[in-house]
Coordinates of all heavy atoms in Angstrom, one line a residue:
M1 N 0.4 -19.0 12.0 CA 1.4 -18.7 10.9 C 1.5 -17.2 10.7 O 0.5 -16.5 10.6 CB 1.0 -19.4 9.6 CG 2.1 -19.3 8.6 SD 1.4 -19.7 6.9 CE 2.3 -18.5 5.9
K2 N 2.7 -16.7 10.6 CA 2.9 -15.3 10.3 C 2.9 -15.0 8.8 O 3.7 -15.5 8.1 CB 4.2 -14.8 10.8 CG 4.3 -14.8 12.4 CD 5.4 -13.9 12.8 CE 6.5 -14.7 13.5 NZ 7.7 -13.9 13.9
P3 N 1.9 -14.3 8.3 CA 1.8 -14.1 6.8 C 2.9 -13.3 6.3 O 3.3 -13.4 5.1 CB 0.5 -13.4 6.7 CG 0.1 -12.7 8.0 CD 0.8 -13.6 9.0
Y4 N 3.6 -12.5 7.1 CA 4.6 -11.6 6.6 C 6.0 -12.0 6.9 O 7.0 -11.5 6.4 CB 4.4 -10.1 7.1 CG 3.1 -9.6 6.7 CD1 2.0 -9.6 7.5 CD2 2.9 -9.0 5.4 CE1 0.8 -9.1 7.1 CE2 1.7 -8.5 5.0 CZ 0.6 -8.5 5.9 OH -0.6 -8.0 5.5
G5 N 6.2 -12.9 7.9 CA 7.5 -13.3 8.4 C 8.1 -12.2 9.1 O 7.4 -11.3 9.6
D6 N 9.4 -12.1 9.3 CA 10.1 -11.0 9.9 C 10.6 -10.0 8.9 O 10.8 -10.4 7.7 CB 11.2 -11.5 10.8 CG 10.8 -12.3 12.0 OD1 9.7 -12.0 12.5 OD2 11.5 -13.3 12.4
C7 N 10.9 -8.8 9.3 CA 11.3 -7.8 8.4 C 12.7 -8.2 7.8 O 13.6 -8.6 8.5 CB 11.5 -6.5 9.2 SG 12.1 -5.1 8.2
V8 N 12.8 -8.0 6.5 CA 14.0 -8.4 5.8 C 15.1 -7.4 6.1 O 16.3 -7.7 5.9 CB 13.9 -8.6 4.3 CG1 12.9 -9.7 4.0 CG2 13.4 -7.3 3.6
Y9 N 14.8 -6.2 6.5 CA 15.8 -5.2 6.7 C 16.4 -5.2 8.1 O 17.6 -5.1 8.3 CB 15.2 -3.8 6.4 CG 14.8 -3.6 5.0 CD1 13.5 -3.8 4.6 CD2 15.8 -3.4 4.0 CE1 13.1 -3.7 3.3 CE2 15.4 -3.3 2.7 CZ 14.1 -3.4 2.3 OH 13.7 -3.3 1.0
C10 N 15.5 -5.4 9.1 CA 16.0 -5.3 10.5 C 15.6 -6.5 11.3 O 16.1 -6.6 12.5 CB 15.5 -4.0 11.2 SG 13.7 -4.1 11.6
G11 N 14.8 -7.4 10.8 CA 14.5 -8.6 11.5 C 13.4 -8.4 12.5 O 13.0 -9.3 13.3
G12 N 12.8 -7.2 12.5 CA 11.7 -6.8 13.5 C 10.4 -7.6 13.2 O 10.3 -8.2 12.1
E13 N 9.6 -7.5 14.2 CA 8.3 -8.2 14.0 C 7.3 -7.3 13.1 O 7.4 -6.1 13.2 CB 7.6 -8.4 15.3 CG 7.5 -9.9 15.7 CD 6.8 -10.1 16.9 OE1 5.5 -9.9 17.0 OE2 7.4 -10.6 17.9
I14 N 6.5 -8.0 12.3 CA 5.6 -7.3 11.4 C 4.2 -7.4 11.9 O 3.7 -8.6 12.1 CB 5.8 -7.7 10.0 CG1 7.2 -7.4 9.5 CG2 4.8 -7.1 9.1 CD1 7.7 -8.0 8.3
E15 N 3.5 -6.3 12.1 CA 2.1 -6.3 12.5 C 1.3 -5.9 11.3 O 1.6 -5.0 10.6 CB 1.9 -5.3 13.6 CG 2.1 -5.9 15.0 CD 1.8 -4.9 16.1 OE1 1.2 -3.8 15.8 OE2 2.1 -5.2 17.2
E16 N 0.1 -6.5 11.2 CA -0.8 -6.0 10.2 C -1.7 -4.8 10.7 O -2.2 -4.9 11.7 CB -1.7 -7.1 9.7 CG -2.5 -6.7 8.5 CD -3.3 -7.9 7.9 OE1 -2.7 -8.5 7.0 OE2 -4.4 -8.1 8.2
K17 N -1.7 -3.8 9.8 CA -2.5 -2.6 10.1 C -3.2 -2.2 8.9 O -2.7 -2.4 7.8 CB -1.6 -1.4 10.6 CG -0.9 -1.7 11.9 CD 0.0 -0.5 12.2 CE 0.8 -0.8 13.4 NZ 1.7 0.3 13.7
K18 N -4.4 -1.5 9.0 CA -5.0 -1.0 7.8 C -4.4 0.4 7.6 O -4.4 1.3 8.5 CB -6.5 -0.8 8.1 CG -7.1 -2.2 8.3 CD -8.3 -2.4 7.3 CE -8.7 -3.9 7.3 NZ -10.1 -4.1 7.0
Q19 N -3.8 0.6 6.4 CA -3.1 1.8 6.1 C -3.7 2.5 4.9 O -4.3 1.9 4.1 CB -1.6 1.4 5.8 CG -0.9 0.7 6.9 CD -0.1 1.7 7.7 OE1 -0.6 2.2 8.7 NE2 1.1 2.0 7.4
R20 N -3.3 3.7 4.8 CA -3.5 4.5 3.5 C -2.2 4.4 2.7 O -1.1 4.7 3.2 CB -3.8 6.0 3.9 CG -4.0 6.8 2.7 CD -4.2 8.2 3.0 NE -5.6 8.4 3.4 CZ -6.1 9.6 3.7 NH1 -5.4 10.7 3.6 NH2 -7.4 9.7 4.1
I21 N -2.3 3.9 1.5 CA -1.2 3.6 0.7 C -1.1 4.4 -0.6 O -2.1 4.6 -1.3 CB -1.3 2.0 0.3 CG1 -1.3 1.1 1.6 CG2 -0.2 1.6 -0.7 CD1 0.0 1.2 2.4
D22 N 0.1 4.9 -0.8 CA 0.3 5.5 -2.2 C 0.6 4.4 -3.1 O 1.5 3.6 -2.9 CB 1.6 6.4 -2.1 CG 1.4 7.6 -1.2 OD1 0.2 7.9 -0.7 OD2 2.3 8.4 -0.9
Y23 N -0.1 4.4 -4.2 CA 0.0 3.3 -5.1 C 0.1 3.8 -6.5 O -0.7 4.6 -7.0 CB -1.3 2.4 -5.0 CG -1.3 1.2 -5.8 CD1 -0.7 0.1 -5.4 CD2 -2.0 1.1 -7.0 CE1 -0.7 -1.1 -6.1 CE2 -2.0 0.0 -7.8 CZ -1.4 -1.1 -7.3 OH -1.4 -2.3 -8.1
R24 N 1.1 3.4 -7.3 CA 1.3 3.8 -8.6 C 0.9 2.7 -9.6 O 1.2 1.5 -9.4 CB 2.8 4.1 -8.9 CG 3.0 5.6 -8.5 CD 4.5 5.9 -8.5 NE 4.8 6.7 -7.4 CZ 4.6 8.0 -7.4 NH1 4.1 8.6 -8.4 NH2 4.9 8.8 -6.3
F25 N 0.1 3.1 -10.6 CA -0.4 2.1 -11.6 C -0.4 2.8 -12.9 O -1.0 3.9 -13.1 CB -1.8 1.7 -11.2 CG -2.4 0.6 -12.0 CD1 -2.0 -0.7 -11.7 CD2 -3.3 0.9 -13.0 CE1 -2.5 -1.7 -12.5 CE2 -3.9 -0.2 -13.7 CZ -3.5 -1.5 -13.5
H26 N 0.4 2.3 -13.9 CA 0.5 2.9 -15.2 C 0.9 4.4 -15.1 O 0.3 5.2 -15.8 CB -0.8 2.7 -16.0 CG -1.0 1.3 -16.4 ND1 -1.3 0.8 -17.6 CD2 -1.0 0.2 -15.6 CE1 -1.4 -0.5 -17.7 NE2 -1.3 -0.9 -16.4
G27 N 1.8 4.7 -14.2 CA 2.3 6.1 -14.1 C 1.4 7.0 -13.4 O 1.8 8.2 -13.2
Q28 N 0.3 6.6 -12.9 CA -0.7 7.4 -12.2 C -0.6 7.1 -10.7 O -0.6 5.9 -10.4 CB -2.1 7.2 -12.8 CG -3.2 7.8 -12.0 CD -3.2 9.4 -12.1 OE1 -3.2 9.9 -13.2 NE2 -3.3 10.0 -11.0
L29 N -0.6 8.1 -9.9 CA -0.6 7.9 -8.4 C -2.1 7.8 -7.9 O -2.9 8.6 -8.2 CB 0.1 9.0 -7.7 CG 0.1 9.0 -6.2 CD1 0.9 7.8 -5.7 CD2 0.7 10.2 -5.6
Y30 N -2.3 6.7 -7.1 CA -3.6 6.6 -6.5 C -3.3 6.5 -5.0 O -2.3 6.0 -4.5 CB -4.3 5.3 -6.9 CG -4.6 5.3 -8.4 CD1 -3.7 4.7 -9.3 CD2 -5.8 5.7 -8.9 CE1 -3.9 4.7 -10.6 CE2 -6.1 5.7 -10.3 CZ -5.1 5.2 -11.1 OH -5.3 5.2 -12.5
I31 N -4.3 6.9 -4.2 CA -4.2 6.7 -2.8 C -5.3 5.7 -2.4 O -6.5 5.9 -2.6 CB -4.4 8.0 -2.0 CG1 -3.2 9.0 -2.3 CG2 -4.4 7.8 -0.5 CD1 -3.3 10.4 -1.8
L32 N -4.9 4.6 -1.8 CA -5.8 3.5 -1.5 C -5.9 3.5 0.1 O -5.0 3.6 0.8 CB -5.2 2.2 -1.9 CG -4.9 2.0 -3.4 CD1 -4.4 0.6 -3.7 CD2 -6.1 2.4 -4.2
E33 N -7.2 3.4 0.5 CA -7.4 3.4 1.9 C -7.8 2.1 2.4 O -8.3 1.2 1.7 CB -8.5 4.4 2.2 CG -8.1 5.9 2.0 CD -9.0 6.9 2.5 OE1 -10.2 6.9 2.2 OE2 -8.5 7.7 3.3
N34 N -7.6 1.8 3.7 CA -8.0 0.6 4.4 C -7.3 -0.6 3.8 O -7.9 -1.7 3.6 CB -9.5 0.4 4.4 CG -10.2 1.4 5.2 OD1 -9.8 1.7 6.3 ND2 -11.3 2.0 4.7
V35 N -6.0 -0.5 3.4 CA -5.3 -1.6 2.9 C -4.6 -2.4 4.0 O -3.8 -1.8 4.8 CB -4.2 -1.1 1.9 CG1 -3.4 -2.2 1.3 CG2 -4.8 -0.2 0.8
P36 N -4.9 -3.7 4.1 CA -4.2 -4.5 5.1 C -2.8 -4.6 4.8 O -2.4 -5.1 3.8 CB -4.9 -5.8 5.1 CG -6.1 -5.6 4.2 CD -5.9 -4.5 3.3
T37 N -1.9 -4.0 5.6 CA -0.5 -3.9 5.3 C 0.3 -4.4 6.5 O 0.0 -4.1 7.6 CB -0.2 -2.3 5.1 OG1 -1.1 -1.8 4.2 CG2 1.3 -2.1 4.7
G38 N 1.4 -5.1 6.2 CA 2.3 -5.6 7.2 C 3.3 -4.4 7.5 O 3.9 -3.9 6.6
V39 N 3.3 -4.0 8.7 CA 4.2 -2.9 9.1 C 5.2 -3.3 10.1 O 4.9 -3.9 11.2 CB 3.4 -1.7 9.6 CG1 4.4 -0.5 9.9 CG2 2.4 -1.2 8.6
C40 N 6.5 -3.1 9.8 CA 7.6 -3.5 10.8 C 7.5 -2.6 12.0 O 7.5 -1.4 11.9 CB 8.9 -3.4 10.1 SG 10.3 -3.7 11.3
C41 N 7.5 -3.3 13.2 CA 7.4 -2.5 14.5 C 8.6 -1.6 14.7 O 8.6 -0.6 15.4 CB 7.3 -3.4 15.7 SG 5.8 -4.5 15.6
Q42 N 9.8 -2.1 14.1 CA 11.0 -1.4 14.4 C 11.3 -0.3 13.4 O 11.7 0.8 13.7 CB 12.2 -2.4 14.5 CG 12.1 -3.3 15.6 CD 13.4 -4.1 15.8 OE1 14.4 -3.6 16.2 NE2 13.3 -5.4 15.6
C43 N 11.3 -0.6 12.1 CA 11.8 0.4 11.1 C 10.6 0.9 10.3 O 10.8 1.9 9.5 CB 12.8 -0.2 10.2 SG 12.2 -1.4 9.0
G44 N 9.4 0.4 10.4 CA 8.3 0.9 9.7 C 8.1 0.5 8.2 O 7.3 1.0 7.5
E45 N 9.0 -0.4 7.8 CA 8.9 -0.9 6.4 C 7.6 -1.6 6.2 O 7.0 -2.2 7.1 CB 10.1 -1.9 6.1 CG 10.2 -2.5 4.7 CD 10.5 -1.4 3.7 OE1 11.1 -0.4 4.0 OE2 10.1 -1.7 2.5
Q46 N 7.0 -1.4 5.0 CA 5.7 -1.9 4.7 C 5.8 -3.1 3.8 O 6.6 -3.2 2.8 CB 4.8 -0.9 4.0 CG 4.6 0.3 5.0 CD 3.7 1.4 4.3 OE1 3.7 1.5 3.1 NE2 3.0 2.1 5.1
Y47 N 4.9 -4.1 4.0 CA 4.9 -5.3 3.2 C 3.4 -5.6 2.8 O 2.5 -5.3 3.6 CB 5.4 -6.5 4.0 CG 6.8 -6.4 4.4 CD1 7.2 -5.7 5.6 CD2 7.8 -6.8 3.6 CE1 8.5 -5.6 5.9 CE2 9.2 -6.7 3.9 CZ 9.5 -6.1 5.1 OH 10.8 -5.9 5.4
F48 N 3.3 -6.2 1.6 CA 2.0 -6.6 1.2 C 2.0 -8.1 0.9 O 3.0 -8.6 0.3 CB 1.6 -5.9 0.0 CG 1.6 -4.4 0.2 CD1 2.6 -3.6 -0.3 CD2 0.6 -3.8 0.9 CE1 2.6 -2.2 -0.1 CE2 0.6 -2.4 1.1 CZ 1.6 -1.6 0.6
T49 N 1.0 -8.8 1.2 CA 0.9 -10.2 0.7 C 0.5 -10.2 -0.7 O 0.0 -9.2 -1.3 CB -0.2 -11.0 1.5 OG1 -1.5 -10.4 1.3 CG2 0.1 -11.0 3.0
A50 N 0.8 -11.3 -1.4 CA 0.5 -11.4 -2.9 C -1.0 -11.2 -3.1 O -1.4 -10.6 -4.0 CB 0.9 -12.7 -3.4
R51 N -1.8 -11.7 -2.1 CA -3.2 -11.6 -2.2 C -3.7 -10.1 -2.2 O -4.5 -9.7 -3.0 CB -3.9 -12.4 -1.1 CG -5.4 -12.7 -1.3 CD -5.9 -13.6 -0.2 NE -5.9 -12.8 1.1 CZ -6.9 -12.1 1.5 NH1 -8.0 -11.9 0.7 NH2 -6.8 -11.4 2.6
I52 N -3.1 -9.4 -1.3 CA -3.5 -8.0 -1.1 C -3.0 -7.2 -2.3 O -3.7 -6.3 -2.9 CB -2.9 -7.4 0.2 CG1 -3.6 -8.0 1.4 CG2 -3.1 -5.9 0.2 CD1 -5.1 -7.9 1.4
A53 N -1.8 -7.5 -2.8 CA -1.2 -6.8 -4.0 C -2.2 -7.0 -5.2 O -2.4 -6.0 -5.9 CB 0.2 -7.3 -4.3
K54 N -2.7 -8.2 -5.4 CA -3.6 -8.5 -6.5 C -4.9 -7.7 -6.3 O -5.5 -7.2 -7.2 CB -3.9 -10.0 -6.5 CG -2.9 -10.7 -7.3 CD -3.5 -12.0 -7.9 CE -2.5 -12.8 -8.7 NZ -2.2 -14.1 -8.1
K55 N -5.3 -7.7 -5.0 CA -6.6 -7.0 -4.7 C -6.5 -5.5 -4.9 O -7.4 -4.9 -5.5 CB -6.9 -7.2 -3.2 CG -8.3 -7.7 -2.9 CD -8.5 -7.9 -1.4 CE -10.0 -7.8 -1.1 NZ -10.2 -8.0 0.3
M56 N -5.3 -4.9 -4.6 CA -5.1 -3.5 -4.9 C -5.2 -3.2 -6.4 O -5.8 -2.3 -6.8 CB -3.8 -3.0 -4.3 CG -3.7 -3.0 -2.8 SD -2.3 -2.0 -2.2 CE -1.0 -3.1 -2.5
E57 N -4.5 -4.0 -7.1 CA -4.5 -3.9 -8.6 C -5.9 -4.0 -9.2 O -6.3 -3.2 -10.0 CB -3.5 -4.9 -9.2 CG -3.2 -4.5 -10.7 CD -2.2 -5.5 -11.3 OE1 -1.4 -6.0 -10.6 OE2 -2.4 -5.7 -12.5
A58 N -6.6 -5.0 -8.7 CA -8.0 -5.2 -9.2 C -8.9 -4.0 -8.9 O -9.7 -3.5 -9.7 CB -8.5 -6.5 -8.6
A59 N -8.7 -3.5 -7.6 CA -9.5 -2.4 -7.2 C -9.3 -1.1 -8.0 O -10.2 -0.4 -8.4 CB -9.3 -2.1 -5.7
V60 N -8.0 -0.9 -8.3 CA -7.6 0.3 -9.1 C -8.2 0.2 -10.6 O -8.7 1.1 -11.1 CB -6.1 0.6 -9.1 CG1 -5.7 1.6 -10.1 CG2 -5.7 1.0 -7.7
S61 N -7.9 -1.0 -11.1 CA -8.4 -1.3 -12.5 C -9.9 -1.0 -12.6 O -10.4 -0.4 -13.5 CB -8.1 -2.7 -12.9 OG -6.8 -3.0 -12.9
K62 N -10.6 -1.5 -11.6 CA -12.1 -1.4 -11.6 C -12.6 0.0 -11.4 O -13.5 0.5 -12.0 CB -12.6 -2.2 -10.4 CG -14.1 -2.7 -10.6 CD -14.5 -3.6 -9.4 CE -16.0 -3.5 -9.2 NZ -16.4 -4.0 -7.9
A63 N -11.8 0.8 -10.6 CA -12.3 2.2 -10.3 C -11.9 3.2 -11.3 O -12.4 4.3 -11.3 CB -11.7 2.5 -8.9
R64 N -10.9 2.9 -12.1 CA -10.4 3.9 -13.1 C -11.5 4.5 -13.9 O -12.4 3.7 -14.4 CB -9.3 3.3 -14.0 CG -8.1 2.9 -13.3 CD -7.1 2.2 -14.3 NE -6.2 3.2 -14.8 CZ -5.5 2.9 -15.9 NH1 -5.5 1.8 -16.5 NH2 -4.6 3.8 -16.4
G65 N -11.5 5.8 -14.1 CA -12.5 6.4 -15.0 C -13.7 6.9 -14.2 O -14.5 7.6 -14.7
K66 N -13.9 6.4 -13.0 CA -15.1 6.9 -12.2 C -14.6 7.3 -10.8 O -15.1 6.8 -9.8 CB -16.2 5.8 -12.1 CG -15.7 4.4 -11.9 CD -16.8 3.5 -11.8 CE -16.3 2.0 -11.7 NZ -17.3 1.0 -11.6
L67 N -13.6 8.1 -10.8 CA -12.9 8.5 -9.6 C -13.1 9.9 -9.2 O -13.3 10.8 -10.1 CB -11.4 8.2 -9.7 CG -11.0 6.8 -9.7 CD1 -9.5 6.7 -10.1 CD2 -11.2 6.1 -8.4
T68 N -13.1 10.2 -7.9 CA -13.0 11.6 -7.4 C -11.5 11.9 -7.4 O -10.7 11.1 -6.8 CB -13.6 11.7 -6.0 OG1 -14.9 11.2 -6.1 CG2 -13.6 13.1 -5.6
T69 N -11.1 13.1 -7.9 CA -9.7 13.4 -7.9 C -9.6 14.7 -7.1 O -10.3 15.6 -7.2 CB -9.3 13.7 -9.4 OG1 -9.6 12.6 -10.2 CG2 -7.8 14.0 -9.4
I70 N -8.5 14.7 -6.2 CA -8.2 15.9 -5.4 C -6.8 16.3 -5.8 O -6.0 15.5 -6.2 CB -8.3 15.6 -3.9 CG1 -7.3 14.4 -3.5 CG2 -9.7 15.3 -3.5 CD1 -7.1 14.3 -2.0
P71 N -6.5 17.6 -5.8 CA -5.2 18.1 -6.2 C -4.2 17.7 -5.1 O -4.5 17.8 -3.9 CB -5.3 19.6 -6.2 CG -6.8 19.9 -6.0 CD -7.5 18.7 -5.5
V72 N -3.0 17.2 -5.5 CA -2.0 16.9 -4.5 C -0.8 17.7 -4.8 O -0.2 17.7 -5.9 CB -1.6 15.4 -4.6 CG1 -0.5 15.0 -3.7 CG2 -2.8 14.5 -4.4
P73 N -0.3 18.6 -3.9 CA 0.9 19.4 -4.1 C 2.1 18.5 -4.2 O 2.3 17.6 -3.4 CB 1.0 20.3 -2.9 CG -0.3 20.1 -2.2 CD -0.9 18.8 -2.6
V74 N 2.9 18.7 -5.2 CA 4.2 18.0 -5.4 C 5.3 19.0 -5.1 O 5.4 20.0 -5.7 CB 4.3 17.4 -6.8 CG1 5.6 16.7 -6.9 CG2 3.2 16.5 -7.1
I75 N 6.2 18.6 -4.1 CA 7.2 19.5 -3.7 C 8.6 18.8 -3.8 O 8.7 17.7 -3.3 CB 7.0 19.9 -2.2 CG1 5.7 20.6 -2.1 CG2 8.2 20.8 -1.7 CD1 5.2 20.8 -0.7
S76 N 9.5 19.4 -4.6 CA 10.8 18.9 -4.7 C 11.7 19.3 -3.6 O 11.7 20.5 -3.2 CB 11.4 19.3 -6.1 OG 12.7 18.9 -6.2
V77 N 12.4 18.4 -3.0 CA 13.3 18.7 -1.9 C 14.8 18.4 -2.3 O 15.1 17.3 -2.6 CB 13.0 18.0 -0.6 CG1 14.0 18.3 0.5 CG2 11.5 18.2 -0.2
G78 N 15.6 19.4 -2.4 CA 17.0 19.2 -2.8 C 17.2 19.1 -4.3 O 16.3 19.2 -5.1
Ligands
ZN1 ZN1 12.2 -3.6 10.0

């Protein structure tokens, strides 16, 4: 069974890869590593299963307040 189905945008096949994900939680940006992510082979759209989405939220909730923070430059284009 394919956990992600086909891409809703282009119908391409979706492969699971461990990705680094930008994740927003309560207005704060976090970078999560080693997230199992469905990635479309054709257009690159990313998908998460409900289980992984819950896992990401739980991991961020648990880690808040005891994190290493690095500066991230923010650049406006246009
Ligand atoms: Zn696609």
Side-chain angles (χ1 to χ4, degrees):
M1 189 199 141
K2 293 199 247 177
Y4 300 97
D6 290 330
C7 179
V8 298
Y9 296 100
C10 72
E13 247 185 67
I14 295 170
E15 268 185 12
E16 188 171 272
K17 294 177 184 175
K18 295 236 168 148
Q19 297 269 90
R20 176 182 282 186
I21 298 298
D22 294 351
Y23 184 81
R24 272 170 222 283
F25 188 77
H26 292 232
Q28 169 73 50
L29 175 66
Y30 300 89
I31 295 171
L32 306 182
E33 293 193 304
N34 295 316
V35 181
T37 309
V39 182
C40 175
C41 300
Q42 293 191 67
C43 74
E45 184 64 27
Q46 295 180 335
Y47 296 89
F48 303 103
T49 62
R51 198 175 66 86
I52 294 304
K54 276 208 181 116
K55 232 179 154 177
M56 290 195 287
E57 192 177 329
V60 171
S61 299
K62 201 177 155 195
R64 291 175 96 195
K66 43 180 172 176
L67 290 170
T68 306
T69 306
I70 57 166
V72 178
V74 177
I75 301 165
S76 172
V77 178

